Amino acid sequence: MSHHIIEFRNVSFTYPDGTAALRDVSFRITHGEAVGIVGPNGAGKTTLIMLMNGLILPGGGEVMVGEVPVTRKTLSEIRRKVGVVMQNPDDQLFMPTVREDVAFGPSNMELPPEVIEQRVDEALREVGALHLKDRPPHRLSGGQKKAVAIAGVIAMKPDILVMDEPTAGLDPGARRQLIEIVKGFRHSRIIATHDLDLVLEVCERCILLHGGAIKRDGPPGEILLDAQLMQESGLALPLSATV
Amino acid sequence: MEIGSNFLNIGYLDSLSYRASPVHRIDPRIKTIVTIVYVVTVVSFPRYEVSGLLPFFIYPVFLISVGNIPPGFVLRKLLLVSPFVVMVGMFNPIFDRTPMLELYGVEISGGWVSFTSILLKFVLTISTALLLIATTSFTGICEGLGRMGVPQVFVVQLLFLYRYLFVLVEEALRMVRARDARSSGKRGKGVRVFIHLVGVLLVRTIQRAERIYAAMLSRGYTGRMPLRRTHRIGMKELIFLSSWILLFLVMRRYNLSLYLGILLGQDGMR
Amino acid sequence: MHMADALLSPTVGGAFWAATGATTAYAARRLRKDINEKLVPLMGVLGAFVFAAQMINFTIPGTGSSGHIGGGMLLAILLGPHAAFLVIASVLTVQSLFFADGGLLALGSNIWNLGFYPAYIVYPLIYRSIVRDNPTARRVAIGAILSVVVALQLGAFSVVLQTRLSGISELPFRSFLLLMLPVHLVIGLAEGVITAGVVNYLRSIQPELLSSRPSSGRSLRKVIIAVSVMAVITGGLLSWFASVNPDGLEWSIQRIYGEPEIQSKENPVTEKLQAIQEKTAILPDYSLPSEGSEETDSGEAWPNPDPGTSISGLVGGFMVLLVVVIFGLGLRRLSGNGNRE
Ligand SMILES: Nc1ncnc2c1ncn2[C@@H]1O[C@H](COP(=O)(O)OP(=O)(O)OP(=O)(O)O)[C@@H](O)[C@H]1O
Ligand SMILES: [Mg+2]
């Protein structure tokens, strides 16, 4: 199952305006791992995620998904394997109804209509949003939007699920539900987040980004509970560690 | 015209359009066609027509009743957009003073008659357009337009606009609230700050477009938007279409008001 | 400045629908050709942006009243003519449906007035030729202000023309024009200043956004040829009106020169009604204008010269309304019961 592996080899990225967002980043995530990516605002988390499915291409180094390097030529293959859930669900839910939105990915994979229909139902059931099927996205709550956005990615059956700030703006109930969804996903998961408790609960590995470089890579318990390291990195201890 | 309240109306109209009533269930294409035929028929009446227009109230009243739409809402919306028509129409009584008829000793000029006609046409056409959208989801209308041959780029454009209308208006209102919270009286609400706010909103909008595009690419977008087709034209639709159009043509050809008036006149007077 | 159904004749409304439809098809085809998929979401959110920007009001200096922007020219500057035309058309479509601005028949005219002129006339001829490929702050300011003013003047002129050609309003062409143009000059100046400010703001923070338009390769000559073609088409349209709706155009011309109104054509429906009226000879108690004046003026001053028709029509019409309302209430009852069930 080597295609569930994602690897960054000395990756750097600089935005057109000269902002160096990532510097010489290397790591390897293997099949089935759940990895949390943490770091203060502007650390480069979103940039890292955009590199994973080729929304931007590395300025230096290489991103590998399985045996395939992320290049202009391999984009459609890469995007089938790496499913990305965006930070803001409003940006991701662009189709007129929930059903059509979840069907967007499968339709682009040119699947037969019955299969698409089936995948839509499956994905919506998985995130507990089947009853929202005929709603237009602008008539959903924040948590419902998030759930549907995840369904839209799951429906493509990616090998690797990548999420940017999945719990931002969710109430405790919706957050709990989301955690269950993430736990239930069978393949590799990469979660960029400020929700350190989420990382503690769901992930077995944590990558701490700071100023565009990896500052630490290891078990969440060691990194997130290290008060001095957290303070240096502009982060605070997880809530569960303070009570 | 107060745009803020107008916007709230969009949300309300939008919520009306998801109701389930027999008219809501009719295929959007059929309702769109009937509405267009209706509007053209109404507008095709000559300048001085008043009585012949009155029977045409039957269609909006039908939509209001069967579609379970609050009539007060429609009336309020009509009032809100009436100024231009009223302003232009007001000149008819001024410029056209030729006496046309006398009602119980009061002489009425042609201008007043044609002004009344304009107002009637305004109420009929605008309320019917509003009722179209109150009884049909916007998505449904777009689907209908696409299937009636409107270019896909334009259909997708309408859908995108509608999808992000609510998101961006919220964003703009947040910005306005933030500005108003920090400005006193007129200060802070001038052109300079305004330009800055619009500029910021525009930049954010463009950035949002980029994020949306990224989300589309992430899910395999190749330049084609897969739109669903949910509606079908059945017997019910054909009956709806043909009976209304037939009725419009009859009402256009024969002045039902006049006939009724004749009947009543003969009964009452003699 | 929205044209309204009630002021339009079907001919004029239909003709502008045809022109708008053709332009939409043309714009869509052009967009499909220089395919840039990124444009799809951008156009969509910019359409929504126009509404959102209208939520932001400002105090007009010295007056205390507040204004907002229309945005057509801004879209043309950001997107180029084809995409801008489609975005404006989509904005007006949503406005006509949800805000009841104008109505459905008038939509064609409104898209023409507020979309065609800024996108296909003013943008290539004025804005591009002032700003060229060198958008300095001054050029942008001059270009934007001038463009918005001209586009709005053309739009306002167009509204007057459509109203006049339709012949529903009695407002004389010249007075209406004198009413509309100055008002829109003021509006245009205000919106021009704002548009210039916004474009310059964008230029100062994200200059690349303004240079990404697909228009640089086109020469001015080509644009002028295109515009002349449009002008010929427009002229053709106008002369077509003149032939199908002769009284409309002549009427407006006569109004301009202050000549007496010409005779309107008899309406076949009215004739029928008159015949019926004669046969049944009713409502003698209502007083009518003197017989004499009716004979001499008949069919000259108004197309529906039989006042008796109007009166019995009004009485009957009142009854019709009553019947319609009762019908509606009944239906409501029925469907209300059905829903509860
Ligand atoms: N489109 C862009 N153009 C220029 N610079 C950018 C752009 N997007 C991000 N940056 C910069 O790149 C750096 C990394 O940004 P990134 O969005 O990856 O951070 P992040 O870790 O996701 O932050 P947050 O927690 O706030 O989401 C920041 O300095 C940011 O200002
Ligand atoms: Mg981020």
Side-chain angles (χ1 to χ4, degrees):
Chain A
M1 297 282 255
S2 59
H3 52 285
H4 294 178
I5 292 174
I6 207 163
E7 186 175 359
F8 275 53
R9 296 179 182 157
N10 308 99
V11 172
S12 300
F13 185 83
T14 304
Y15 280 101
D17 66 351
T19 315
L22 287 181
R23 273 177 290 229
D24 197 25
V25 170
S26 300
F27 60 85
R28 181 183 161 92
I29 292 167
T30 52
H31 178 222
E33 262 190 307
V35 181
I37 297 176
V38 299
N41 291 130
K45 303 183 293 294
T46 300
T47 310
L48 194 79
I49 282 177
M50 293 203 290
L51 284 161
M52 287 183 189
N53 75 343
L55 290 173
I56 50 181
L57 295 172
E62 204 173 22
V63 178
M64 302 287 293
V65 174
E67 265 89 64
V68 185
V70 179
T71 63
R72 220 168 281 285
K73 285 201 198 75
T74 59
L75 283 182
S76 67
E77 193 184 343
I78 296 293
R79 287 179 183 151
R80 213 164 280 206
K81 290 180 176 169
V82 183
V84 176
V85 182
M86 298 285 160
Q87 189 163 342
N88 182 344
D90 269 326
D91 298 340
Q92 180 151 344
L93 303 179
F94 45 80
M95 295 296 279
T97 60
V98 166
R99 174 210 300 267
E100 281 167 280
D101 200 88
V102 178
F104 183 82
S107 308
N108 287 329
M109 295 160 80
E110 318 239 322
L111 299 170
E114 321 82 65
V115 179
I116 295 177
E117 194 68 9
Q118 190 190 331
R119 285 212 183 176
V120 170
D121 286 0
E122 262 172 39
L124 283 173
R125 200 170 299 120
E126 206 168 328
V127 300
L130 194 56
H131 60 294
L132 304 173
K133 203 168 160 184
D134 290 309
R135 291 260 195 104
H138 65 268
R139 304 185 76 80
L140 299 177
S141 76
Q144 292 172 331
K145 280 181 190 167
K146 204 86 199 193
V148 173
I150 294 172
V153 173
I154 294 180
M156 296 176 74
K157 295 197 186 291
D159 298 328
I160 300 164
L161 181 63
V162 182
M163 302 190 197
D164 199 354
E165 310 271 15
T167 53
L170 297 191
D171 67 26
R175 177 174 173 274
R176 179 67 9 221
Q177 196 190 357
L178 182 123
I179 291 178
E180 297 311 320
I181 295 170
V182 177
K183 278 180 165 174
F185 190 72
R186 293 163 298 280
H187 307 305
S188 310
R189 284 144 291 176
I190 299 170
I191 304 165
T193 185
H194 294 293
D195 183 349
L196 304 182
D197 294 287
L198 169 73
V199 178
L200 274 181
E201 181 172 348
V202 175
C203 303
E204 53 259 28
R205 182 174 161 196
C206 173
I207 293 176
L208 171 61
L209 271 183
H210 190 74
I214 295 185
K215 192 161 180 181
R216 225 21 133 62
D217 183 346
E222 275 173 31
I223 297 176
L224 302 178
L225 301 180
D226 181 337
Q228 204 197 333
L229 178 65
M230 285 290 100
Q231 201 184 356
E232 276 172 23
S233 315
L235 296 172
L237 287 177
L239 278 178
S240 53
T242 55
V243 270
Chain B
M1 179 189 336
E2 191 50 62
I3 308 263
S5 65
N6 229 337
F7 174 69
L8 296 179
N9 282 336
I10 291 196
Y12 184 61
L13 261 176
D14 183 69
S15 69
L16 288 180
S17 71
Y18 298 107
R19 289 190 172 176
S21 82
V23 256
H24 281 84
R25 281 191 288 270
I26 301 268
D27 184 291
R29 280 174 286 178
I30 299 296
K31 277 181 277 182
T32 310
I33 294 170
V34 170
T35 307
I36 289 169
V37 172
Y38 176 86
V39 168
V40 172
T41 315
V42 165
V43 170
S44 74
F45 274 101
R47 228 151 27 115
Y48 293 104
E49 185 63 58
V50 171
S51 57
L53 286 167
L54 296 174
F56 279 81
F57 273 102
I58 184 113
Y59 186 56
V61 166
F62 169 81
L63 292 178
I64 285 180
S65 319
V66 178
N68 200 11
I69 307 296
F73 171 71
V74 178
L75 287 179
R76 247 175 300 135
K77 293 277 285 187
L78 282 177
L79 274 180
L80 216 61
V81 292
S82 56
F84 181 71
V85 169
V86 173
M87 187 208 84
V88 173
M90 269 309 290
F91 285 92
N92 281 15
I94 297 173
F95 286 101
D96 178 2
R97 287 163 185 269
T98 5
M100 196 165 189
L101 57 112
E102 212 175 288
L103 259 183
Y104 305 109
V106 182
E107 203 169 72
I108 293 175
S109 70
W112 281 109
V113 174
S114 59
F115 180 42
T116 312
S117 173
I118 289 178
L119 289 184
L120 277 176
K121 286 178 180 173
F122 164 75
V123 170
L124 291 172
T125 54
I126 300 298
S127 61
T128 309
L130 275 174
L131 287 165
L132 170 67
I133 194 68
T135 57
T136 318
S137 72
F138 188 70
T139 317
I141 290 185
C142 290
E143 183 199 322
L145 290 178
R147 289 168 74 176
M148 289 192 294
V150 172
Q152 217 220 356
V153 210
F154 190 63
V155 174
V156 170
Q157 167 63 22
L158 285 171
L159 288 170
F160 255 106
L161 187 164
Y162 194 63
R163 169 67 186 91
Y164 286 98
L165 186 60
F166 299 90
V167 179
L168 291 192
V169 166
E170 272 303 311
E171 192 164 339
L173 289 178
R174 277 198 300 274
M175 290 170 71
V176 170
R177 261 179 245 127
R179 173 194 68 180
D180 293 351
R182 284 182 290 159
S183 52
S184 64
K186 274 185 211 162
R187 297 200 50 184
K189 291 187 190 164
V191 179
R192 240 167 230 288
V193 178
F194 173 78
I195 288 175
H196 184 78
L197 285 188
V198 173
V200 170
L201 184 66
L202 179 60
V203 171
R204 285 193 197 164
T205 302
I206 292 170
Q207 285 169 348
R208 183 185 290 277
E210 262 156 33
R211 293 196 305 271
I212 296 168
Y213 183 58
M216 293 167 78
L217 287 180
S218 297
R219 293 201 278 153
Y221 175 63
T222 52
R224 198 182 54 90
M225 293 292 278
L227 296 177
R228 254 175 72 89
R229 304 189 153 193
T230 43
H231 296 271
R232 196 174 296 127
I233 295 184
M235 204 54 202
K236 212 175 55 186
E237 268 79 11
L238 292 179
I239 292 171
F240 185 91
L241 180 82
S242 48
S243 43
W244 278 114
I245 291 186
L246 192 71
L247 183 60
F248 297 157
L249 293 180
V250 168
M251 294 192 302
R252 176 69 184 83
R253 186 80 174 71
Y254 304 101
N255 186 335
L256 299 185
S257 296
L258 180 62
Y259 291 149
L260 197 62
I262 290 166
L263 280 176
L264 289 174
Q266 279 172 330
D267 285 344
M269 300 299 159
R270 303 273 148 87
Chain C
M1 190 180 62
H2 284 102
M3 192 61 203
D5 280 0
L7 300 174
L8 272 180
S9 72
T11 324
V12 176
F16 277 91
W17 253 117
T20 295
T23 315
T24 306
Y26 169 75
R29 229 192 41 233
R30 288 300 304 265
L31 270 190
R32 220 179 314 133
K33 232 166 57 186
D34 2 304
I35 191 156
N36 177 1
E37 285 130 20
K38 222 176 160 166
L39 220 52
V40 173
L42 182 61
M43 285 166 61
V45 291
L46 283 179
F49 163 81
V50 173
F51 285 94
Q54 289 179 350
M55 299 291 130
I56 309 177
N57 55 339
F58 65 94
T59 312
I60 298 166
T63 63
S65 62
S66 64
H68 57 261
I69 63 166
M73 208 57 226
L74 182 62
L75 290 171
I77 295 171
L78 291 173
L79 292 168
H82 311 301
F85 180 82
L86 291 181
V87 176
I88 299 167
S90 70
V91 168
L92 292 168
T93 305
V94 170
Q95 265 177 1
S96 80
L97 285 172
F98 285 90
F99 292 172
D101 256 345
L104 295 180
L105 182 64
L107 180 59
S109 312
N110 282 325
I111 294 177
W112 185 265
N113 300 346
L114 298 169
F116 181 82
Y117 299 122
Y120 285 111
I121 305 280
V122 177
Y123 175 75
L125 278 190
I126 297 181
Y127 187 81
R128 290 298 297 163
S129 52
I130 290 177
V131 175
R132 302 230 182 86
D133 288 320
N134 178 21
T136 61
R138 252 197 42 216
R139 279 175 186 239
V140 166
I142 296 171
I145 293 173
L146 202 64
S147 301
V148 175
V149 167
V150 174
L152 272 182
Q153 291 291 303
L154 284 171
F157 181 78
S158 204
V159 168
V160 176
L161 199 68
Q162 286 153 357
T163 309
R164 214 71 223 85
L165 288 172
S166 297
I168 305 291
S169 159
E170 295 280 344
L171 203 53
F173 189 74
R174 218 167 15 174
S175 321
F176 196 12
L177 213 54
L178 281 176
L179 204 72
M180 288 287 276
L181 294 189
V183 170
H184 284 91
L185 182 66
V186 177
I187 297 177
L189 280 172
E191 189 172 336
V193 169
I194 289 160
T195 305
V198 172
V199 174
N200 269 326
Y201 174 81
L202 199 64
R203 197 184 56 93
S204 68
I205 60 165
Q206 263 171 312
E208 73 278 3
L209 287 176
L210 289 175
S211 50
S212 58
R213 280 163 298 95
S215 54
S216 36
R218 223 155 296 148
S219 70
L220 188 62
R221 212 185 49 171
K222 233 171 151 182
V223 169
I224 290 177
I225 291 172
V227 170
S228 332
V229 171
M230 297 286 185
V232 170
I233 293 171
T234 318
L237 267 175
L238 284 180
S239 36
W240 179 59
F241 289 154
S243 60
V244 281
N245 189 8
D247 32 51
L249 197 67
E250 272 162 46
W251 195 38
S252 68
I253 290 167
Q254 298 218 331
R255 280 290 171 137
I256 295 172
Y257 293 105
E259 278 166 35
E261 217 171 84
I262 57 152
Q263 183 170 323
S264 303
K265 277 189 295 192
E266 275 293 337
N267 183 326
V269 180
T270 326
E271 272 172 17
K272 263 277 177 350
L273 292 177
Q274 267 179 281
I276 295 165
Q277 161 85 15
E278 275 155 28
K279 270 188 220 128
T280 47
I282 36 95
L283 298 176
D285 290 16
Y286 293 104
S287 50
L288 309 173
S290 72
E291 289 293 308
S293 78
E294 201 191 308
E295 261 160 37
T296 49
D297 288 0
S298 178
E300 197 172 316
W302 47 73
N304 182 1
D306 191 344
T309 299
S310 309
I311 289 173
S312 44
L314 284 180
V315 174
F318 185 73
M319 298 314 290
V320 164
L321 274 188
L322 219 66
V323 170
V324 164
V325 169
I326 293 167
F327 161 81
L329 288 174
L331 268 181
R332 191 157 202 140
R333 249 274 175 45
L334 271 177
S335 52
N337 286 342
N339 284 351
R340 236 171 284 138
E341 217 270 301

